Amino acid sequence: MVTVTDEQVASFRAQGFVHIPGVISPSEAAHFYEAALDYTRRNPPLSNRPVFDQHVNVWTHDDAMRALTLHPSLAAAARTLNGTELRLWHDQILIKQPHNNAATEFHQDQPYWPHATSPNPISAWIALCDVPAEKGCMTFLPGSFKHTDLPAQNLSDARSLFQIEPEFVWFPRVTVPLKAGDCTFHHGRCAHMATPNFTDDPRVAHIVIFMETSTAYSGRGHVVTDPLGLTIGEPITGDLFPLM
């Protein structure tokens, strides 16, 4: 199991993201890369936009990908970085197709989610192949997670986040290329983007999103919670959101 250092914890809590190499082994990454592609060949994406193909809650449908979503190294690292008990919110496979010609523009994740009383959600972004800058790796705005209550941004509009929060224009930008098996953990409000995939191969990433056990349902529409009949203000619990 990967060890998270005190320095990594401090960096995450100051900047809102951290790069942890080798969260899974290269052989595991190769295995899950093929499993992810196999799953996406058999199942239509939830979202098939220029920025990426998105498959949500694959762990509930596919045993191979379930093993990655529930991988003990991911949950253990997330708990250490956050310092809290966590539940699974959802997972997703995100694929940038070769030469997709579209960036995933700067945005925060949390404004899209139906979460209340959730100050510190955390996402594990696992590279299942090498992801250099030209293949669609992530760029972060350090400290941007401290800006709360922003409305959802447009992933296809490079101006969207900066029109909402003009101060972000002056934030430093940190680009983090990853080797297969590396992971970035980022706070749910840490603004980030990914460049287009300029290469001949798909960029395949698996993201596991964790929420604090105090997280309650806000009533905002979301594909994961819309069918569940949840009560606004009540904690989000149940088999679909296991303790991690």
Side-chain angles (χ1 to χ4, degrees), residues 52 94-96 125 129 131 135-137 194 197 201-205:
F52 51 56
L94 295 182
I95 296 180
K96 278 188 178 286
W125 198 100
C129 57
V131 187
K135 201 168 187 173
C137 73
N197 179 5
D201 300 306
R203 187 218 69 185
V204 183

Side-chain angles (χ1 to χ4, degrees), residues 127-178:
L128 300 184
C129 57
D130 289 348
V131 187
E134 63 269 22
K135 201 168 187 173
C137 73
M138 304 263 273
T139 295
F140 299 92
L141 301 184
S144 54
F145 71 100
K146 298 173 185 177
H147 292 242
T148 62
D149 300 321
L150 301 186
Q153 302 100 42
N154 184 343
L155 299 183
S156 298
D157 184 353
R159 303 164 298 174
S160 178
L161 177 65
F162 301 105
Q163 289 174 336
I164 292 168
E165 190 63 282
E167 183 181 347
F168 284 167
V169 171
W170 307 107
F171 277 39
R173 304 182 183 196
V174 180
T175 299
V176 186
L178 301 176

Side-chain angles (χ1 to χ4, degrees), residues 214-237:
S214 62
T215 303
Y217 180 54
S218 72
R220 181 184 179 91
H222 192 277
V223 65
V224 170
T225 48
D226 286 350
L228 302 181
L230 301 182
T231 301
I232 294 174
E234 290 297 312
I236 300 175
T237 61

Side-chain angles (χ1 to χ4, degrees), residues 90-105:
H90 68 76
D91 68 1
Q92 55 186 354
I93 298 170
L94 295 182
I95 296 180
K96 278 188 178 286
Q97 297 295 345
H99 303 283
N100 73 312
N101 297 320
T104 310
E105 301 294 354

